[in-house]
Amino acid sequence: MSLADFVRLRPGAAVCDLGCGGGALGLLLCAAAPSCRVTGIELDGAACAVAAENFAQTALDGRCTLISGDLREIRSLVPAGAFSDSVSNPPYFPAASPVSPNPARAAARSEFGCSLDMLCAAASWVLRNGGRFSLVYRAERLCSLVCTLRQHGLEPKRLRPVRHSPGSPVKLLLLEARKGGKPGLTFEPELLFYGPDGNPTADYLRIYHEGGD
């Protein structure tokens, strides 16, 4: 949900969700930006079934569509430059990392099936020049992320650290890169979920729709 809140979409945006899973991110973006359209790409069959059902049950007038396919074969799935924006909540542990004994969970969290290089190549392919790629990633891998984005013509432009509470380490980053963009990175105020008193912050309540009407 924090990624959906971070993404900035212009009116009429055409968004490609790379590895969309059950489609939650696309639904959130469509709800927040009434004129955008989202195309989700997902390889896992079970996740595709969930996404298809979620898209069918929402009253979004067909603004969310699904492509069952492999990001490593992106050039056969969508035309080059077909989207103004791309988003991803990708696996962000190296392929050799022992993240989970559950195969499905491991595939969702590690880069065994889709490396960072493959992901950035896919984002660069789907985006038109000037298009924006937004993703969430592990803070400890920032150097690899920036280098890989640049290798594919994606220039980091906005970065927001994510912290659980004051004093806790920054484990996640929200980052936006622009295809063909000029160098110049803006650091945004950190996203803090819980304050010094242990209570949820205003950002947390806003993002997770708690405490409101």
Side-chain angles (χ1 to χ4, degrees):
M1 288 188 181
S2 57
L3 178 57
D5 181 71
F6 175 75
V7 174
R8 295 179 181 172
L9 296 179
R10 290 158 287 197
V15 186
C16 185
D17 185 356
L18 300 171
C20 69
L25 178 56
L27 294 174
L28 288 170
L29 292 176
C30 279
S35 64
C36 83
R37 303 184 72 86
V38 177
T39 298
I41 300 178
E42 177 57 50
L43 176 62
D44 181 76
C48 279
V50 172
E53 182 176 358
N54 287 339
F55 292 168
Q57 289 182 352
T58 56
L60 292 173
D61 300 321
R63 289 166 50 217
C64 284
T65 57
L66 178 66
I67 296 175
S68 177
D70 191 331
L71 295 183
R72 294 169 293 187
E73 306 295 333
I74 192 67
R75 297 187 178 213
S76 66
L77 300 177
V78 297
F83 297 90
S84 63
D85 296 85
S86 182
V87 295
S88 186
N89 183 2
Y92 38 62
F93 289 99
S97 300
V99 295
S100 173
N102 182 295
R105 184 173 174 82
R109 300 188 67 193
S110 75
E111 296 179 356
F112 179 77
C114 183
S115 68
L116 176 59
D117 183 71
M118 295 169 184
L119 175 70
C120 292
S124 184
W125 173 262
V126 304
L127 287 174
R128 63 195 62 156
N129 198 48
R132 297 181 288 193
F133 178 40
S134 301
L135 74 163
V136 56
Y137 212 68
R138 294 284 292 185
E140 65 196 41
R141 302 191 66 195
L142 175 60
C143 184
S144 295
L145 175 60
V146 169
C147 290
T148 308
L149 286 166
R150 282 183 156 178
Q151 287 172 4
H152 293 282
L154 300 167
E155 183 64 29
K157 300 298 292 183
R158 287 197 300 133
L159 186 149
R160 188 175 194 186
V162 180
R163 193 191 301 269
H164 181 269
S165 58
S168 65
V170 174
K171 292 188 175 182
L172 295 176
L173 301 170
L174 298 164
L175 188 143
E176 176 196 283
R178 189 171 303 162
K179 185 173 180 179
K182 296 180 180 179
L185 177 63
T186 299
F187 282 78
E188 299 189 350
E190 69 179 10
L191 175 58
L192 192 66
F193 287 148
Y194 294 91
D197 57 2
N199 291 323
T201 63
D203 278 335
Y204 180 95
L205 294 174
R206 174 178 51 80
I207 292 171
Y208 290 92
H209 307 290
E210 297 183 16
D213 295 334

